[in-house]
Amino acid sequence: MKRLLLLLSALALWSSESFITEGEYGQMLYENPRGIGCVHCHGKHGEGALIARYKEEGRAVELRAPDIRKVPLRKLKSSLLRRHRVMPTYFLTDKEIRAIFHFLHEEES
Ligand code: HEC
């Protein structure tokens, strides 16, 4: 019995150490979403960033990724499932999108 308790507490310790929050999971996905990381275009915290500056017909043009920290979950989902002009298409599950959402909103506070 004592041995069993020892084993159980060792397991509990192990699982508490390997536990990550949904926000941490979301940050991992934000940085490495099986494709180019959101972080490269939307910035470290989702605040948006400049992707490129170029000239079009003599005019200076700036290509920016928008701030996505206040985007509601529904819009985040629809946006990730849609085709975009610049942003790549991702194949993320509902759970993964929700984790990214948590990360973006934890960062906000
Ligand atoms: C190559 C750069 C790039 C990467 C990588 C990228 N995005 Fe984007 N994203 C953009 C740009 C640019 C837009 C603006 C729409 C467009 O032109 O594609 C955008 C739009 C969005 C929008 C819509 C925002 C709004 O207010 O309409 C959301 C949400 C979003 N991105 C989330 C993400 C997430 C989450 C990831 C990672 C899984 C990601 N993006 C990866 C460039 C990028």
Side-chain angles (χ1 to χ4, degrees):
M1 188 63 192
K2 239 187 192 157
R3 215 178 253 172
L4 182 66
L5 278 178
L6 207 68
L7 184 70
L8 283 178
S9 53
L11 266 177
L13 195 71
W14 173 76
S15 62
S16 69
E17 275 180 1
S18 62
F19 179 81
I20 57 167
T21 64
E22 188 161 25
E24 284 165 344
Y25 179 48
Q27 182 174 10
M28 279 167 49
L29 288 164
Y30 182 80
E31 290 169 3
N32 194 7
R34 291 195 298 279
I36 172 169
C38 326
V39 63
H40 298 298
C41 292
H42 290 280
K44 189 158 188 262
H45 310 279
E47 71 277 16
L50 179 69
I51 302 172
R53 230 182 231 129
Y54 56 94
K55 280 207 168 164
E56 200 173 77
E57 290 166 10
R59 276 186 316 119
V61 183
E62 283 192 345
L63 177 62
R64 289 183 173 275
D67 184 339
I68 53 170
R69 288 172 299 179
K70 293 213 164 58
V71 171
L73 182 59
R74 230 209 253 150
K75 190 171 177 190
L76 188 65
K77 273 188 195 165
S78 64
S79 195
L80 285 171
L81 298 174
R82 209 160 28 86
R83 282 191 164 271
H84 291 267
R85 207 165 42 91
V86 176
M87 184 170 137
T89 306
Y90 291 92
F91 301 93
L92 295 163
T93 65
D94 256 23
K95 199 177 163 214
E96 290 170 331
I97 295 173
R98 211 171 314 130
I100 292 176
F101 177 79
H102 272 272
F103 163 67
L104 291 170
H105 285 254
E106 265 180 9
E107 289 287 304
E108 192 187 299
S109 55

